[in-house]
Amino acid sequence: MCTQTLVLDIRNLKSHFFTAKGEVPAVDGVSIQVPAGKIIGLVGESGCGKSMTAMSIMGLLRYPGKIVDGTITLDGRDITHLRPKELAKIRGNEISMIFQEPMTSLNPVYPVGRQVQEAILLHQKIPKEEAKKRVLEIFRAVGIPEPEKRYHSYPHQLSGGLRQRVMIGMAMVCRPKVMVADEPTTALDVTIEAQILRLMKQLCDEQGTSIILITHNLGVVAEICDYVYVMYAGKVMEQAETFSLFEQACHPYTQGLLQSIPKLDEKVEWLHTIKGVVPNLLHLPKGCSFCTRCSQAGRRCFEEQPGLYETIQGHGVRCFQYESGVRLDGE
């Protein structure tokens, strides 16, 4: 997709869950290329595999989940199957993550400032006083009021928005090469959301940090993302530069997502919706996973799985309508 230097290269990633009812392909052959200093948007409905992709990248999948195929390369190093001790040296330092629910991610018996400071001391050999100073600086940067006071606060003493800002600060404090942000502004009001998004953009521009932004908000994607990957039922259905995707969305699923965005300059009685629901991953259609909801589906769509085809340079679509283009997934 991109000819720039890649800091994170994910190829044909497959993460399955082995349950009593069968094998669930939560992530099914996902390939994502993350150039240095760029923001990658990962979008799609709930249950499409976005968060499972993030957990796989971070090496956080636990039984019954397992990476069964593919590679994850960070700055030229294959980290797909590293041992826990080796991963611990990388997580938080070279690659970090902002989790969707901060209350379950923060330790309830330690002050939040100490938890962020611990992340610094674990990876960088600096004095505790210097680490604390950096914690207070990052607290100010993410908009936490009275940072000296909040440094000593416990998670239950903070609002949901403040806890989320602590998590964002923890992910940013070591200035990682890659940051995975899973719905990072969900609990924040629009003013703080704009502030956090500006801070993330600044981190990319000044520190060269790359960001994978998982979100439902296509407005946010349009504002700060350089590239977009649209996921559905564990697969990438469309990938493109942000402008190209919004200017000319090709896949029927992407078109449906964009049409569902309310427009201020139009009076409508009903918002557009995509009919049906995301299929059960235990009982996926034989052909295209979107065929049961697609108004353009033909007989072949119900019988064969389409590849990912390039329409124009850097714009890939998983649809038979574009099979005259070069196949990108190599299957």
Side-chain angles (χ1 to χ4, degrees):
M1 176 181 175
C2 181
T3 58
Q4 301 177 56
T5 302
L6 299 180
V7 66
L8 184 67
D9 190 5
I10 302 162
R11 299 281 181 175
N12 194 38
L13 180 65
K14 296 183 180 181
S15 298
H16 294 187
F17 283 79
F18 298 87
T19 71
K21 294 184 178 180
E23 190 172 338
V24 180
V27 181
D28 193 12
V30 168
S31 294
I32 299 174
Q33 285 75 55
V34 184
K38 299 295 182 181
I39 302 180
I40 306 299
L42 198 59
V43 302
E45 293 171 278
S46 296
C48 70
K50 304 186 302 296
S51 293
M52 286 301 103
T53 299
M55 297 292 277
S56 301
I57 294 169
M58 297 299 298
L60 294 174
L61 278 186
R62 296 292 181 265
Y63 180 84
K66 181 182 178 181
I67 295 176
V68 297
D69 198 7
T71 59
I72 303 168
T73 305
L74 176 64
D75 206 19
R77 181 187 182 188
D78 189 344
I79 64 169
T80 316
H81 300 292
L82 288 183
R83 296 177 180 178
K85 285 187 177 180
E86 294 173 312
L87 269 175
K89 295 177 182 178
I90 295 174
R91 277 199 301 255
N93 189 34
E94 295 182 47
I95 182 168
S96 63
M97 183 167 178
I98 304 170
F99 293 92
Q100 191 169 358
E101 180 42 66
M103 198 58 186
T104 59
S105 305
L106 292 168
N107 192 320
V109 299
Y110 285 98
V112 293
R114 281 183 55 190
Q115 295 187 52
V116 179
Q117 182 176 324
E118 183 182 358
I120 303 172
L121 296 175
L122 181 64
H123 297 292
Q124 301 177 8
K125 295 181 180 180
I126 61 174
K128 287 186 177 181
E129 295 75 16
E130 179 64 26
K132 182 177 179 179
K133 182 180 177 181
R134 195 184 293 183
V135 172
L136 296 177
E137 287 176 353
I138 200 69
F139 276 7
R140 293 188 188 97
V142 297
I144 295 178
E146 301 179 290
E148 292 83 0
K149 178 182 177 181
R150 300 302 182 188
Y151 178 92
H152 299 286
S153 298
Y154 290 86
H156 72 273
Q157 295 175 315
L158 304 179
S159 67
L162 282 178
R163 288 196 295 266
Q164 187 69 314
R165 277 175 264 182
V166 169
M167 289 299 301
I168 292 169
M170 187 182 296
M172 291 180 171
V173 76
C174 288
R175 300 170 183 171
K177 296 175 182 175
V178 180
M179 186 165 65
V180 181
D182 190 358
E183 299 280 0
T185 58
T186 298
L188 307 180
D189 60 54
V190 291
T191 304
I192 298 301
E193 178 184 51
Q195 179 183 343
I196 294 301
L197 292 174
R198 282 197 302 270
L199 183 62
M200 293 171 69
K201 184 66 175 174
Q202 183 180 349
L203 193 69
C204 286
D205 296 339
E206 296 181 1
Q207 307 290 344
T209 297
S210 301
I211 297 176
I212 298 177
L213 178 63
I214 299 172
T215 181
H216 291 91
N217 192 331
L218 291 171
V220 169
V221 170
E223 182 179 351
I224 72 167
C225 290
D226 299 291
Y227 302 93
V228 189
Y229 288 77
V230 181
M231 286 191 68
Y232 183 81
K235 291 182 179 291
V236 172
M237 307 307 280
E238 187 164 0
Q239 61 186 54
E241 292 188 11
T242 303
F243 179 81
S244 177
L245 186 94
F246 281 83
E247 183 71 14
Q248 189 176 3
C250 296
H251 198 283
Y253 178 60
T254 310
Q255 293 170 359
L257 290 178
L258 293 176
Q259 289 169 8
S260 67
I261 302 173
K263 296 178 177 61
L264 295 177
D265 58 346
E266 294 181 10
K267 291 184 178 180
V268 292
E269 295 184 4
W270 299 97
L271 291 176
H272 175 83
T273 60
I274 303 173
K275 68 176 183 179
V277 295
V278 178
N280 186 332
L281 295 181
L282 281 170
H283 306 289
L284 287 169
K286 181 181 178 182
C288 175
S289 54
F290 188 62
C291 66
T292 56
R293 306 176 68 187
C294 182
S295 60
Q296 303 176 36
R299 181 176 179 180
R300 186 182 179 191
C301 301
F302 288 86
E303 298 174 350
E304 300 177 36
Q305 293 190 19
L308 189 67
Y309 307 105
E310 188 173 53
T311 58
I312 58 175
Q313 185 175 4
H315 196 142
V317 188
R318 192 176 296 279
C319 182
F320 286 124
Q321 296 181 67
Y322 303 95
E323 66 177 329
S324 59
V326 177
R327 186 160 181 174
L328 299 177
D329 53 7
E331 295 179 1

PDB file of all heavy atoms in Angstrom, residues 12 31 51-52 77 84 100 116 137 150 202 206 232 235 257 293 303 305:
ATOM      1  N   ASN A  12      -0.846 -10.834   6.623  1.00  0.00           N
ATOM      2  CA  ASN A  12      -1.707 -12.021   6.665  1.00  0.00           C
ATOM      3  C   ASN A  12      -1.953 -12.514   8.088  1.00  0.00           C
ATOM      4  O   ASN A  12      -1.918 -13.714   8.367  1.00  0.00           O
ATOM      5  CB  ASN A  12      -1.088 -13.141   5.816  1.00  0.00           C
ATOM      6  CG  ASN A  12      -2.070 -14.259   5.531  1.00  0.00           C
ATOM      7  OD1 ASN A  12      -3.255 -14.013   5.312  1.00  0.00           O
ATOM      8  ND2 ASN A  12      -1.599 -15.491   5.543  1.00  0.00           N
ATOM      9  N   SER A  31      -3.705  -7.594   6.728  1.00  0.00           N
ATOM     10  CA  SER A  31      -2.392  -7.011   6.438  1.00  0.00           C
ATOM     11  C   SER A  31      -2.500  -5.498   6.562  1.00  0.00           C
ATOM     12  O   SER A  31      -3.373  -4.880   5.942  1.00  0.00           O
ATOM     13  CB  SER A  31      -1.922  -7.383   5.030  1.00  0.00           C
ATOM     14  OG  SER A  31      -1.691  -8.772   4.922  1.00  0.00           O
ATOM     15  N   SER A  51     -10.472  -4.508  17.603  1.00  0.00           N
ATOM     16  CA  SER A  51      -9.783  -4.627  18.892  1.00  0.00           C
ATOM     17  C   SER A  51      -8.961  -5.911  18.976  1.00  0.00           C
ATOM     18  O   SER A  51      -7.889  -5.934  19.582  1.00  0.00           O
ATOM     19  CB  SER A  51     -10.800  -4.578  20.044  1.00  0.00           C
ATOM     20  OG  SER A  51     -11.396  -3.300  20.122  1.00  0.00           O
ATOM     21  N   MET A  52      -9.452  -6.991  18.360  1.00  0.00           N
ATOM     22  CA  MET A  52      -8.687  -8.241  18.355  1.00  0.00           C
ATOM     23  C   MET A  52      -7.401  -8.094  17.540  1.00  0.00           C
ATOM     24  O   MET A  52      -6.372  -8.684  17.877  1.00  0.00           O
ATOM     25  CB  MET A  52      -9.531  -9.382  17.800  1.00  0.00           C
ATOM     26  CG  MET A  52     -10.606  -9.892  18.724  1.00  0.00           C
ATOM     27  SD  MET A  52      -9.947 -10.509  20.309  1.00  0.00           S
ATOM     28  CE  MET A  52     -10.355  -9.141  21.406  1.00  0.00           C
ATOM     29  N   ARG A  77      12.011  -6.056  13.091  1.00  0.00           N
ATOM     30  CA  ARG A  77      12.132  -7.219  13.978  1.00  0.00           C
ATOM     31  C   ARG A  77      10.798  -7.949  14.071  1.00  0.00           C
ATOM     32  O   ARG A  77       9.769  -7.339  14.363  1.00  0.00           O
ATOM     33  CB  ARG A  77      12.579  -6.762  15.368  1.00  0.00           C
ATOM     34  CG  ARG A  77      12.755  -7.890  16.369  1.00  0.00           C
ATOM     35  CD  ARG A  77      13.033  -7.344  17.754  1.00  0.00           C
ATOM     36  NE  ARG A  77      13.256  -8.406  18.731  1.00  0.00           N
ATOM     37  CZ  ARG A  77      13.363  -8.205  20.041  1.00  0.00           C
ATOM     38  NH1 ARG A  77      13.269  -6.974  20.536  1.00  0.00           N
ATOM     39  NH2 ARG A  77      13.561  -9.219  20.860  1.00  0.00           N
ATOM     40  N   PRO A  84       7.191 -13.855  26.650  1.00  0.00           N
ATOM     41  CA  PRO A  84       6.621 -12.772  27.468  1.00  0.00           C
ATOM     42  C   PRO A  84       7.655 -11.776  27.993  1.00  0.00           C
ATOM     43  O   PRO A  84       7.406 -10.565  28.003  1.00  0.00           O
ATOM     44  CB  PRO A  84       5.959 -13.544  28.624  1.00  0.00           C
ATOM     45  CG  PRO A  84       5.590 -14.862  28.024  1.00  0.00           C
ATOM     46  CD  PRO A  84       6.687 -15.182  27.058  1.00  0.00           C
ATOM     47  N   GLN A 100      -9.569   0.800  25.673  1.00  0.00           N
ATOM     48  CA  GLN A 100     -10.895   1.410  25.565  1.00  0.00           C
ATOM     49  C   GLN A 100     -11.511   1.677  26.931  1.00  0.00           C
ATOM     50  O   GLN A 100     -12.187   2.674  27.120  1.00  0.00           O
ATOM     51  CB  GLN A 100     -11.807   0.500  24.742  1.00  0.00           C
ATOM     52  CG  GLN A 100     -13.108   1.140  24.332  1.00  0.00           C
ATOM     53  CD  GLN A 100     -13.853   0.308  23.307  1.00  0.00           C
ATOM     54  OE1 GLN A 100     -13.386  -0.728  22.874  1.00  0.00           O
ATOM     55  NE2 GLN A 100     -15.020   0.761  22.903  1.00  0.00           N
ATOM     56  N   VAL A 116       2.028   5.668  36.081  1.00  0.00           N
ATOM     57  CA  VAL A 116       2.647   6.230  34.882  1.00  0.00           C
ATOM     58  C   VAL A 116       4.160   6.320  35.071  1.00  0.00           C
ATOM     59  O   VAL A 116       4.937   6.023  34.161  1.00  0.00           O
ATOM     60  CB  VAL A 116       2.053   7.619  34.563  1.00  0.00           C
ATOM     61  CG1 VAL A 116       2.721   8.209  33.324  1.00  0.00           C
ATOM     62  CG2 VAL A 116       0.545   7.527  34.351  1.00  0.00           C
ATOM     63  N   GLU A 137       4.478  16.605  33.457  1.00  0.00           N
ATOM     64  CA  GLU A 137       4.454  17.271  32.144  1.00  0.00           C
ATOM     65  C   GLU A 137       3.432  16.620  31.218  1.00  0.00           C
ATOM     66  O   GLU A 137       2.679  17.317  30.525  1.00  0.00           O
ATOM     67  CB  GLU A 137       5.852  17.214  31.508  1.00  0.00           C
ATOM     68  CG  GLU A 137       6.866  18.133  32.161  1.00  0.00           C
ATOM     69  CD  GLU A 137       8.263  17.965  31.570  1.00  0.00           C
ATOM     70  OE1 GLU A 137       8.454  17.041  30.739  1.00  0.00           O
ATOM     71  OE2 GLU A 137       9.159  18.750  31.939  1.00  0.00           O
ATOM     72  N   ARG A 150      -3.464  15.316  41.208  1.00  0.00           N
ATOM     73  CA  ARG A 150      -3.926  14.089  40.564  1.00  0.00           C
ATOM     74  C   ARG A 150      -2.857  12.999  40.570  1.00  0.00           C
ATOM     75  O   ARG A 150      -3.181  11.814  40.485  1.00  0.00           O
ATOM     76  CB  ARG A 150      -4.338  14.387  39.112  1.00  0.00           C
ATOM     77  CG  ARG A 150      -5.463  15.410  38.981  1.00  0.00           C
ATOM     78  CD  ARG A 150      -6.710  14.977  39.716  1.00  0.00           C
ATOM     79  NE  ARG A 150      -7.780  15.951  39.536  1.00  0.00           N
ATOM     80  CZ  ARG A 150      -8.936  15.917  40.193  1.00  0.00           C
ATOM     81  NH1 ARG A 150      -9.163  14.958  41.075  1.00  0.00           N
ATOM     82  NH2 ARG A 150      -9.849  16.832  39.978  1.00  0.00           N
ATOM     83  N   GLN A 202       0.380  15.959  17.058  1.00  0.00           N
ATOM     84  CA  GLN A 202       1.655  16.600  17.397  1.00  0.00           C
ATOM     85  C   GLN A 202       2.724  15.559  17.685  1.00  0.00           C
ATOM     86  O   GLN A 202       3.896  15.717  17.315  1.00  0.00           O
ATOM     87  CB  GLN A 202       1.460  17.516  18.605  1.00  0.00           C
ATOM     88  CG  GLN A 202       2.698  18.292  19.024  1.00  0.00           C
ATOM     89  CD  GLN A 202       2.431  19.172  20.237  1.00  0.00           C
ATOM     90  OE1 GLN A 202       1.290  19.365  20.660  1.00  0.00           O
ATOM     91  NE2 GLN A 202       3.486  19.704  20.811  1.00  0.00           N
ATOM     92  N   GLU A 206       6.160  15.694  15.627  1.00  0.00           N
ATOM     93  CA  GLU A 206       7.385  16.092  16.315  1.00  0.00           C
ATOM     94  C   GLU A 206       8.252  14.912  16.743  1.00  0.00           C
ATOM     95  O   GLU A 206       9.486  14.993  16.691  1.00  0.00           O
ATOM     96  CB  GLU A 206       7.035  16.941  17.548  1.00  0.00           C
ATOM     97  CG  GLU A 206       6.349  18.261  17.193  1.00  0.00           C
ATOM     98  CD  GLU A 206       6.037  19.095  18.416  1.00  0.00           C
ATOM     99  OE1 GLU A 206       6.372  18.663  19.544  1.00  0.00           O
ATOM    100  OE2 GLU A 206       5.444  20.185  18.242  1.00  0.00           O
ATOM    101  N   TYR A 232     -14.326  -5.758   8.258  1.00  0.00           N
ATOM    102  CA  TYR A 232     -15.643  -6.383   8.395  1.00  0.00           C
ATOM    103  C   TYR A 232     -15.451  -7.882   8.568  1.00  0.00           C
ATOM    104  O   TYR A 232     -14.764  -8.530   7.771  1.00  0.00           O
ATOM    105  CB  TYR A 232     -16.508  -6.103   7.156  1.00  0.00           C
ATOM    106  CG  TYR A 232     -17.905  -6.667   7.260  1.00  0.00           C
ATOM    107  CD1 TYR A 232     -18.886  -5.987   7.970  1.00  0.00           C
ATOM    108  CD2 TYR A 232     -18.246  -7.882   6.664  1.00  0.00           C
ATOM    109  CE1 TYR A 232     -20.172  -6.498   8.073  1.00  0.00           C
ATOM    110  CE2 TYR A 232     -19.524  -8.401   6.769  1.00  0.00           C
ATOM    111  CZ  TYR A 232     -20.486  -7.705   7.483  1.00  0.00           C
ATOM    112  OH  TYR A 232     -21.748  -8.213   7.607  1.00  0.00           O
ATOM    113  N   LYS A 235     -11.894  -9.274   8.299  1.00  0.00           N
ATOM    114  CA  LYS A 235     -11.111  -9.023   7.087  1.00  0.00           C
ATOM    115  C   LYS A 235     -11.068  -7.531   6.762  1.00  0.00           C
ATOM    116  O   LYS A 235     -11.970  -6.773   7.132  1.00  0.00           O
ATOM    117  CB  LYS A 235     -11.728  -9.761   5.887  1.00  0.00           C
ATOM    118  CG  LYS A 235     -11.603 -11.284   5.934  1.00  0.00           C
ATOM    119  CD  LYS A 235     -12.202 -11.898   4.673  1.00  0.00           C
ATOM    120  CE  LYS A 235     -12.070 -13.415   4.659  1.00  0.00           C
ATOM    121  NZ  LYS A 235     -10.672 -13.843   4.494  1.00  0.00           N
ATOM    122  N   LEU A 257     -21.228   2.800   5.249  1.00  0.00           N
ATOM    123  CA  LEU A 257     -20.751   3.501   6.443  1.00  0.00           C
ATOM    124  C   LEU A 257     -20.754   5.007   6.234  1.00  0.00           C
ATOM    125  O   LEU A 257     -21.175   5.765   7.109  1.00  0.00           O
ATOM    126  CB  LEU A 257     -19.331   3.029   6.790  1.00  0.00           C
ATOM    127  CG  LEU A 257     -19.157   1.607   7.316  1.00  0.00           C
ATOM    128  CD1 LEU A 257     -17.681   1.321   7.556  1.00  0.00           C
ATOM    129  CD2 LEU A 257     -19.941   1.391   8.603  1.00  0.00           C
ATOM    130  N   ARG A 293     -25.675  -8.900   3.185  1.00  0.00           N
ATOM    131  CA  ARG A 293     -26.136  -7.535   3.467  1.00  0.00           C
ATOM    132  C   ARG A 293     -25.934  -6.602   2.278  1.00  0.00           C
ATOM    133  O   ARG A 293     -26.277  -5.422   2.371  1.00  0.00           O
ATOM    134  CB  ARG A 293     -25.396  -6.986   4.684  1.00  0.00           C
ATOM    135  CG  ARG A 293     -25.483  -7.853   5.915  1.00  0.00           C
ATOM    136  CD  ARG A 293     -24.645  -7.294   7.053  1.00  0.00           C
ATOM    137  NE  ARG A 293     -25.184  -6.059   7.570  1.00  0.00           N
ATOM    138  CZ  ARG A 293     -24.566  -5.298   8.479  1.00  0.00           C
ATOM    139  NH1 ARG A 293     -23.367  -5.650   8.923  1.00  0.00           N
ATOM    140  NH2 ARG A 293     -25.112  -4.177   8.910  1.00  0.00           N
ATOM    141  N   GLU A 303     -20.814 -17.693  -3.428  1.00  0.00           N
ATOM    142  CA  GLU A 303     -20.116 -18.968  -3.627  1.00  0.00           C
ATOM    143  C   GLU A 303     -18.601 -18.881  -3.490  1.00  0.00           C
ATOM    144  O   GLU A 303     -17.950 -19.862  -3.144  1.00  0.00           O
ATOM    145  CB  GLU A 303     -20.473 -19.525  -5.017  1.00  0.00           C
ATOM    146  CG  GLU A 303     -21.957 -19.825  -5.192  1.00  0.00           C
ATOM    147  CD  GLU A 303     -22.308 -20.240  -6.615  1.00  0.00           C
ATOM    148  OE1 GLU A 303     -21.417 -20.109  -7.498  1.00  0.00           O
ATOM    149  OE2 GLU A 303     -23.453 -20.689  -6.850  1.00  0.00           O
ATOM    150  N   GLN A 305     -14.981 -16.457  -2.266  1.00  0.00           N
ATOM    151  CA  GLN A 305     -14.467 -15.339  -1.487  1.00  0.00           C
ATOM    152  C   GLN A 305     -13.612 -14.444  -2.388  1.00  0.00           C
ATOM    153  O   GLN A 305     -12.672 -14.925  -3.018  1.00  0.00           O
ATOM    154  CB  GLN A 305     -13.619 -15.837  -0.309  1.00  0.00           C
ATOM    155  CG  GLN A 305     -14.417 -16.573   0.741  1.00  0.00           C
ATOM    156  CD  GLN A 305     -13.593 -16.845   1.992  1.00  0.00           C
ATOM    157  OE1 GLN A 305     -12.570 -16.215   2.229  1.00  0.00           O
ATOM    158  NE2 GLN A 305     -14.050 -17.798   2.788  1.00  0.00           N
TER     159      GLN A 305
END
